[in-house]
Amino acid sequence: MNLHRVVALLNPPQSPFELACASEVFGTVLQDVPARYSFRICAERPGPLQTTVGYTMLVDAGLTALREADTVVVPGWQPPGTPVPPTVTEALRAAHRRGARIVAICTGAFVLARAGLLDGRRATTHWRGTAQLAAAFPEVQVDSDVLFVDHGDVATSAGTGAGIDLCLHLVRADHGAAYAAQIARNMVLPPHREGSQLQYAAQPAPARADESLAPLLEWATSRLDTRLTLGRLAGHAGLSSRTLARRFTEQLGTSPGQWLLGRRLDAARVLLERTDLPVEAIATRVGLASAVNLRRRFRAHLGTTPGAYRRTFSET
């Protein structure tokens, strides 16, 4: 299998945290996990590159590296709104024209907007910069309430944590849920957060230990094949349905029903990749009742069918 080539385009002063989102997901070689990506960095001018935390990175590649990239990542741009050299915007446009996927983490969205790659499209960035992005680029449909937006050829994320979410989402799209879960497990992260989740909780105060949803989420995930109504979830947690729904919004930025559907689809994807079980059996195992319902949910949320997904990502 040819490695998917990921190139990160840096600019001084570069935030190493946004860069780490991409390098950890695409560039780390894991034991017993097949490598499917190659990763390198480049800048407009090769050489020493200042970072936001006081040390200097040595970048050995220039913009010509983008000519071979399958995915180009712009991991932040500091400060937001800083002018982008025409050589950079043209290199990004050229990469996009020949079919490379262009990805922005956090304030990297300003660079994609300057290159015209977000015109007429939804996009996001760190919540502190959404108003500035919308004012500077009125042709961009800025969404301040999501973790990431993926159009297939162009994608943007909110801040650092959401950058990891976007990178893992792209791995899922490239190589399936099971492979992405292996990478997430190595990073000690949940394998998937929906891009439509809120960037931050409605209430900024952290939940007390006895308010954490973690035990309930683990309990529900181990019982996907059973009927998990809001009332049953609330009863197991010892809460009213209204209180449980509020805590889901505060801690996860989504509803219990949407969270549960996401876990069921995740489980279905892994079974499609790793087993030859019939679709009807998979639907039953993940709590979606029937093959018809699984196919409908797959089409609505993933834009494909279980059969097509299995043909693309099957490991059996």
Side-chain angles (χ1 to χ4, degrees):
M1 177 185 293
N2 292 330
L3 296 181
H4 182 112
R5 296 161 297 187
V6 179
V7 177
L9 172 58
L10 311 187
N11 184 69
Q14 176 65 47
S15 168
F17 304 108
E18 280 76 23
L19 173 59
C21 295
S23 62
E24 184 73 12
V25 172
F26 298 117
T28 301
V29 178
L30 304 178
Q31 185 177 6
D32 300 325
V33 178
R36 296 182 180 174
Y37 295 95
S38 66
F39 183 82
R40 68 182 307 193
I41 59 175
C42 76
E44 183 192 17
R45 295 184 180 86
L49 186 141
Q50 180 186 359
T51 69
T52 58
V53 292
Y55 65 82
T56 299
M57 280 189 277
L58 182 62
V59 180
D60 62 2
L63 294 177
T64 55
L66 301 188
R67 298 175 187 171
E68 303 298 324
D70 299 304
T71 293
V72 178
V73 180
V74 183
W77 197 266
Q78 301 295 335
T82 301
V84 182
T87 52
V88 170
T89 55
E90 180 49 41
L92 287 172
R93 293 189 198 105
H96 183 258
R97 283 194 299 268
R98 68 169 178 76
R101 178 172 59 192
I102 313 297
V103 177
I105 296 174
C106 196
T107 51
F110 284 82
V111 183
L112 271 59
R114 181 65 66 189
L117 299 179
L118 302 179
D119 289 357
R121 290 179 155 189
R122 285 177 63 242
T124 194
T125 188
H126 190 286
W127 60 269
R128 290 187 183 276
T130 51
Q132 182 182 352
L133 182 65
F137 302 98
E139 62 276 21
V140 179
Q141 302 166 21
V142 179
D143 192 336
S144 60
D145 291 329
V146 295
L147 296 178
F148 58 83
V149 178
D150 178 21
H151 294 286
D153 61 324
V154 174
T156 54
S157 84
T160 306
I164 297 173
D165 291 320
L166 174 56
C167 291
L168 288 172
H169 162 80
L170 296 176
V171 173
R172 287 161 60 91
D174 292 341
H175 299 295
Y179 185 78
Q182 290 178 295
I183 296 175
R185 190 178 303 116
N186 182 70
M187 298 173 70
V188 198
L189 289 171
H192 182 53
R193 288 199 297 169
E194 293 290 343
S196 58
Q197 287 186 209
L198 299 176
Q199 288 198 27
Y200 51 89
Q203 297 183 9
R208 298 194 305 268
D210 61 353
E211 293 180 343
S212 172
L213 290 173
L216 175 65
L217 303 184
E218 183 177 355
W219 177 84
T221 301
S222 68
R223 292 165 174 80
L224 293 177
D225 60 337
T226 66
R227 189 166 180 265
L228 295 172
T229 63
L230 176 59
R232 187 182 178 198
L233 292 172
H236 182 79
L239 303 170
S240 69
S241 295
R242 179 177 297 181
T243 298
L244 181 64
R246 175 174 56 80
R247 290 193 183 173
F248 261 82
T249 299
E250 292 171 356
Q251 296 183 34
L252 301 178
T254 190
S255 69
Q258 286 301 308
W259 176 85
L260 187 58
L261 176 59
R263 301 297 73 71
R264 284 176 162 151
L265 289 174
D266 281 348
R269 291 168 75 164
V270 172
L271 289 172
L272 287 167
E273 294 168 26
R274 293 188 163 180
T275 76
D276 57 2
L277 286 170
V279 172
E280 187 75 39
I282 290 175
T284 300
R285 283 199 181 192
V286 303
L288 288 175
S290 69
V292 171
N293 189 34
L294 176 57
R295 291 188 182 99
R296 180 169 64 86
R297 299 291 190 177
F298 241 72
R299 176 69 70 182
H301 290 265
L302 303 174
T304 188
T305 65
Y309 185 89
R310 171 172 269 165
R311 286 192 294 274
T312 300
F313 295 117
S314 176
E315 298 178 1
T316 59

